Amino acid sequence: MNINKWYKSKDKFLFWLVVIGIALRIIFFMSNFIIGDVHIDESMLFANALSIVNNCTDLLGNKFPVYFPTWFIGGQSPLGTYLSAFAVKLFGNSLFVLRLPALIVGCIGLVCSAKLSDLLFLKKEFKYAFVGLSAVSPWMIFSSCYVLDCNYMGYNLIFGILMLAKGQKQNKRLYYVLLFVMLLLLYCICSDCSCIFSYYILDFIC
């Protein structure tokens, strides 16, 4: 999406809804550092991410993990852990960096929601309602602040539906390929069979 072209279009209200939504995400993201709390599942995700960066294994010493151990009998899917490990590899170890992928994905997800509204609805009122709810949705805001593995699922669905809608409208195979990628990433969230995904991410990190 061309942001400059979008802003200069007649529908500036939609643009400012997205700006407000992104601002809310950044404000809540930064306020969590003042509060200083870390979710219990989030702490295990971070521990596994740092273990990946430092040892190329999970906390139990497993190489190429596709399902991460947590508290006693629990477990976490790989996407959130690998994204945090990827961020630490690029920018260093800090709570800000570990949570940064969630904020980035949350902001991109809001922009994609706005683009999706253009493809799904003809009336402006429906577009405004769709994007407005996305901008102020408590779940979407807080999923941009805390790194829980399941928080990425909603955004993968948004990205996938957007690719499907654009593929049907423009009849380009590229969008269907991107849809397949989004479904693969969604599969990495829901399943413990994401071997290919973990292999290539670990190849970069290690």
Side-chain angles (χ1 to χ4, degrees):
M1 177 184 296
N2 189 317
I3 295 178
N4 187 46
K5 181 180 178 181
W6 186 19
Y7 178 72
K8 289 182 178 179
S9 68
K10 296 180 181 179
D11 201 353
K12 292 183 179 179
F13 185 73
L14 201 64
F15 174 85
W16 285 110
L17 280 177
V18 173
V19 171
I20 291 171
I22 292 176
L24 286 173
R25 281 152 177 77
I26 294 174
I27 290 171
F28 277 91
F29 183 84
M30 298 305 298
S31 67
N32 280 326
F33 294 103
I34 300 174
I35 297 172
D37 287 338
V38 176
H39 193 279
I40 187 171
D41 288 337
E42 191 179 37
S43 65
M44 288 301 295
L45 188 150
F46 292 160
N48 275 306
L50 294 176
S51 181
I52 286 290
V53 173
N54 296 324
N55 308 312
C56 295
T57 66
D58 64 13
L59 289 175
L60 298 182
N62 299 312
K63 293 184 178 180
F64 298 103
V66 293
Y67 194 68
F68 290 90
T70 55
W71 304 103
F72 300 109
I73 59 174
Q76 290 178 333
S77 51
L79 183 58
T81 304
Y82 281 123
L83 286 178
S84 290
F86 189 79
V88 169
K89 184 69 175 182
L90 291 176
F91 305 114
N93 179 17
S94 69
L95 182 59
F96 176 87
V97 171
L98 285 162
R99 285 177 170 170
L100 187 60
L103 177 62
I104 294 173
V105 171
C107 293
I108 294 174
L110 180 58
V111 174
C112 288
S113 295
K115 184 60 179 177
L116 184 59
S117 71
D118 280 333
L119 298 174
L120 293 181
F121 306 111
L122 296 176
K123 292 186 177 181
K124 289 186 177 182
E125 292 80 2
F126 292 150
K127 295 181 182 179
Y128 297 157
F130 184 83
V131 178
L133 288 173
S134 299
V136 301
S137 165
W139 181 86
M140 294 187 74
I141 291 175
F142 282 100
S143 67
S144 304
C145 301
Y146 293 100
V147 185
L148 303 177
D149 61 330
C150 59
N151 283 356
Y152 291 101
M153 183 182 296
Y155 295 112
N156 278 87
L157 288 174
I158 291 173
F159 300 151
I161 294 171
L162 176 60
M163 293 302 104
L164 177 61
K166 288 182 73 67
Q168 289 181 329
K169 184 176 182 179
Q170 300 183 19
N171 196 26
K172 291 184 178 180
R173 293 182 179 179
L174 173 62
Y175 293 120
Y176 293 109
V177 172
L178 292 174
L179 169 62
F180 175 77
V181 172
M182 292 302 108
L183 292 177
L184 177 62
L185 290 176
L186 182 62
Y187 185 66
C188 291
I189 295 174
C190 301
S191 174
D192 60 344
C193 298
S194 51
C195 301
I196 298 176
F197 173 81
S198 62
Y199 175 81
Y200 285 106
I201 291 294
L202 276 173
D203 185 55
F204 172 83
I205 293 174
C206 301

